Amino acid sequence: MEDINLIQDEHEQQRVRREKLEALQNAGLDPFRHVTYKVTAHSVEIHNDFDAFEGESVGIAGRVMTKRIMGKASFIDVQDRNGRIQSYVARDMIGEDEYSRFKQFDIGDIVGVTGTVFKTQKGEISVKAAEITLLAKSLQPLPEKWHGLKDTDLRYRRRYVDLIVNPDIKDVFIKRTAIIKEIRAFLDGRGYLEVDTPVLQTVPSGAAARPFVTHHNTLDMQMYLRIALELPLKRLIVGGLERVYEMGRNFRNEGISTRHNPEFVMLELYEAYTDYHGMMELAESLIRTVAEKVCGTTKIIYGEHEIDFGKPFVRLTMIDAVKQYAGVDFEKITDTAAAKEIAKERGVKFENHHSKGDILSLFFEEFAEKHLIQPTFLLDYPVEISPLTKRIPDNPDYTERFELFIASNETANAYSELNDPIDQRARFRHQEELRKAGDEEANMTDEDFLTAVEYGMPPTGGMGIGIERLIMLLTNSASIRDVIFFPTMKPKE
């Protein structure tokens, strides 16, 4: 019953606001006629440097967030991009007609205030209005207790309202921009070249993921939204650019969770003449630097844990992680049949086409991943799940690959890149066999990429970092939806 009353009250407020707008328009005072307003100062500047602004005339603009009518004088709080500042509005200052119109303003309206900076008797920094202008009428009432709403779905759908009434979420997105800026500065400082590669691709590859499929009418051909940036960037390494990176959107037609959104930003970088050890040094230095620049410290809080980026990151092989946390030594498991047998005993689910390496990875996910709280490089992945990675020379069933886990979440993935075109073709062939067996996430063969590698690709280290996952860490956000302005949502019917 309470929800019905709230809806009815909201509809009534909408009706009243539209009537106010109509009255203004009939009086020739349509607020939407304004096209510019001269803003000379923002709230944070005035608060931070009051001595310089005191007694000065300023023009501020923003949204009315509170309103206190007290006879001949009133107060409003105006929220701009930085914060809020109080405005003192008196009938004797702006005139009786303007004051009467001002009293009809609603919470949420956009206003411009020209006036003098001063402090009230209670010490509140304010702007004494000489003129107040209605710049846009808000026809939707703002939620009064947004913080108390339990409907996170509504917050994600109406992010614009979330940003208006929730300063914390605005801070997250401001920090998001700062993080991306610092990542670019770090890589630019190391001589990397930022590049752009196509989002529409003829062959989706570079990751184990199901692509979004589309059709190009003019060429009459099927195309895909990219699932990874990898193969075009490695073509540029072949071309001699040596150090390249791209921060771009990937699209994966997969499930949605607190860590997965179908559209997300990935940083991928490639450096000639190094390997996955070089990528470990780069990852550790990059994350430590960004944390210090943006958060002011190398120690952050994420959930219940304090994460310390200042200490050397742990290095642990997948085999040792499974041995430590599951008590199973895959070095002693000789073949796939034996691996499947131990999986049955331990209740680890697998599919018929899975081999020993796949099952090792499943054991890691089941028993070990949750324990990797402090930054940990998980090393030496099975070749079966690493189709673009160099084998370890003296242990060819495993590859020179790591994933970086922080707070139990995969944050980065890196390789010593496979630059042997013959071995690469064989790996693609294996991936095609997996696709025929029903694995929709297996890689497709990219013939042009194979041709590129046949021209000669230098030894190369490469890495991908999920930007949203890093931002989640550095803003203590529990869900990827909290760090994406407009996460993917199913439309309401």
Side-chain angles (χ1 to χ4, degrees):
M1 191 66 182
E2 185 178 347
D3 289 342
I4 294 174
N5 290 336
L6 286 173
I7 292 170
Q8 290 174 338
D9 182 58
E10 185 175 321
H11 288 166
E12 175 64 15
Q13 289 187 57
Q14 291 170 359
R15 183 188 65 77
V16 170
R17 287 171 182 241
R18 287 181 182 274
E19 288 177 353
K20 289 181 180 180
L21 173 63
E22 186 177 356
L24 286 168
Q25 291 171 331
N26 290 339
L29 299 171
D30 186 350
F32 299 121
R33 75 186 188 279
H34 298 285
V35 291
T36 63
Y37 187 83
K38 188 171 181 60
V39 176
T40 65
H42 290 90
S43 59
V44 71
E45 298 163 356
I46 298 171
H47 281 293
N48 290 345
D49 199 9
F50 173 73
D51 289 344
F53 279 100
E54 186 178 15
E56 296 295 319
S57 178
V58 296
I60 62 169
R63 191 179 298 273
V64 177
M65 298 302 293
T66 65
K67 177 181 162 190
R68 301 176 295 285
I69 301 295
M70 297 184 295
K72 299 179 182 179
S74 303
F75 291 93
I76 58 172
D77 283 338
V78 178
Q79 179 170 288
D80 60 19
R81 70 183 184 189
N82 301 117
R84 296 186 185 187
I85 189 164
Q86 180 174 271
S87 178
Y88 171 73
V89 185
R91 186 188 66 181
D92 294 344
M93 291 289 296
I94 66 171
E96 188 166 345
D97 290 343
E98 288 298 322
Y99 190 68
S100 295
R101 280 191 284 270
F102 157 75
K103 290 197 293 184
Q104 294 299 308
F105 290 0
D106 289 303
I107 302 298
D109 287 352
I110 308 292
V111 300
V113 179
T114 300
T116 306
V117 176
F118 79 113
K119 271 187 183 178
T120 65
Q121 290 180 346
K122 293 183 178 180
E124 179 78 15
I125 294 173
S126 306
V127 175
K128 185 182 296 182
E131 182 181 86
I132 186 164
T133 306
L134 181 61
L135 301 175
K137 184 70 184 167
S138 174
L139 301 181
Q140 294 277 359
L142 292 176
E144 293 182 11
K145 296 181 179 179
W146 191 260
H147 286 282
L149 285 179
K150 296 180 180 179
D151 187 359
T152 54
D153 182 83
L154 182 61
R155 288 185 53 223
Y156 299 141
R157 289 183 187 279
R158 297 184 184 177
R159 180 69 82 192
Y160 39 89
V161 181
D162 196 16
L163 289 167
I164 292 168
V165 301
N166 189 346
D168 293 340
I169 197 67
K170 184 185 287 186
D171 291 343
V172 166
F173 286 103
I174 291 171
K175 188 174 280 189
R176 175 189 171 113
T177 296
I179 290 166
I180 291 172
K181 179 181 177 182
E182 292 300 337
I183 290 171
R184 284 196 165 100
F186 180 91
L187 293 173
D188 294 344
R190 288 208 173 191
Y192 278 79
L193 179 70
E194 184 173 11
V195 298
D196 294 302
T197 61
V199 172
L200 279 175
Q201 298 182 341
T202 55
V203 179
S205 201
R210 182 188 301 176
F212 287 94
V213 183
T214 187
H215 186 82
H216 192 291
N217 292 334
T218 301
L219 297 177
D220 191 23
M221 62 183 292
Q222 185 167 280
M223 299 192 78
Y224 307 87
L225 296 181
R226 68 184 176 196
I227 57 174
L229 312 170
E230 181 164 350
L231 301 194
L233 292 176
K234 289 202 281 195
R235 287 176 172 90
L236 299 181
I237 293 293
V238 171
L241 295 185
E242 293 194 3
R243 295 188 182 192
V244 295
Y245 77 93
E246 181 173 4
M247 212 173 317
R249 294 193 177 277
N250 286 342
F251 306 84
R252 298 182 182 178
N253 197 351
E254 57 189 20
I256 294 175
S257 72
T258 56
R259 291 189 293 168
H260 296 89
N261 192 70
E263 177 182 357
F264 61 97
V265 177
M266 177 69 77
L267 165 68
E268 287 204 32
L269 57 92
Y270 294 86
E271 180 178 337
Y273 311 114
T274 189
D275 62 3
Y276 75 146
H277 293 289
M279 291 297 103
M280 278 185 259
E281 182 280 323
L282 190 145
E284 190 166 339
S285 297
L286 185 152
I287 292 173
R288 183 176 294 131
T289 299
V290 171
E292 198 159 23
K293 294 272 190 180
V294 177
C295 303
T297 178
T298 56
K299 292 182 179 179
I300 64 154
I301 300 299
Y302 186 74
E304 300 175 352
H305 305 288
E306 181 182 80
I307 308 297
D308 190 351
F309 295 122
K311 294 180 179 178
F313 292 8
V314 176
R315 302 188 182 197
L316 182 68
T317 68
M318 184 179 283
I319 282 181
D320 286 341
V322 170
K323 188 188 302 183
Q324 179 177 340
Y325 294 110
V328 177
D329 187 354
F330 268 77
E331 288 182 329
K332 296 179 180 178
I333 295 175
T334 56
D335 55 27
T336 294
K340 288 183 175 180
E341 191 61 35
I342 192 71
K344 290 176 184 176
E345 292 176 11
R346 297 297 298 272
V348 176
K349 295 180 180 180
F350 59 87
E351 298 179 22
N352 288 334
H353 66 268
H354 282 157
S355 62
K356 174 186 168 182
D358 296 299
I359 293 171
L360 169 61
S361 179
L362 293 173
F363 264 80
F364 166 74
E365 292 172 5
E366 180 71 24
F367 296 103
E369 184 174 311
K370 60 190 174 186
H371 296 286
L372 305 186
I373 305 300
Q374 295 304 316
T376 301
F377 292 118
L378 189 77
L379 310 173
D380 304 349
Y381 276 56
V383 69
E384 293 93 335
I385 59 171
S386 309
L388 299 164
T389 314
K390 276 195 173 190
R391 299 174 191 263
I392 298 173
D394 58 356
N395 194 5
D397 288 340
Y398 296 88
T399 62
E400 295 188 348
R401 173 186 175 187
F402 73 77
E403 288 184 331
L404 173 60
F405 285 85
I406 307 172
S408 304
N409 294 324
E410 176 210 333
T411 304
N413 185 18
Y415 315 149
S416 296
E417 301 296 335
L418 179 59
N419 63 342
D420 177 348
I422 297 171
D423 190 1
Q424 184 64 80
R425 182 174 291 280
R427 306 273 193 99
F428 276 144
R429 192 177 300 122
H430 175 66
Q431 291 290 304
E432 294 287 0
E433 291 171 358
L434 292 177
R435 290 188 70 83
K436 290 177 183 177
D439 185 353
E440 295 181 342
E441 296 186 348
N443 281 240
M444 294 183 186
T445 302
D446 187 329
E447 288 290 346
D448 182 74
F449 174 69
L450 288 170
T451 300
V453 179
E454 286 176 349
Y455 275 96
M457 186 174 89
T460 298
M463 178 166 59
I465 295 177
I467 293 298
E468 278 86 10
R469 291 191 182 179
L470 181 58
I471 293 168
M472 285 171 64
L473 278 168
L474 297 181
T475 59
N476 194 16
S477 299
S479 172
I480 194 170
R481 291 183 172 191
D482 293 329
V483 300
I484 296 175
F485 272 125
F486 304 107
T488 303
M489 307 283 288
K490 188 175 182 178
K492 283 191 170 182
E493 295 180 1

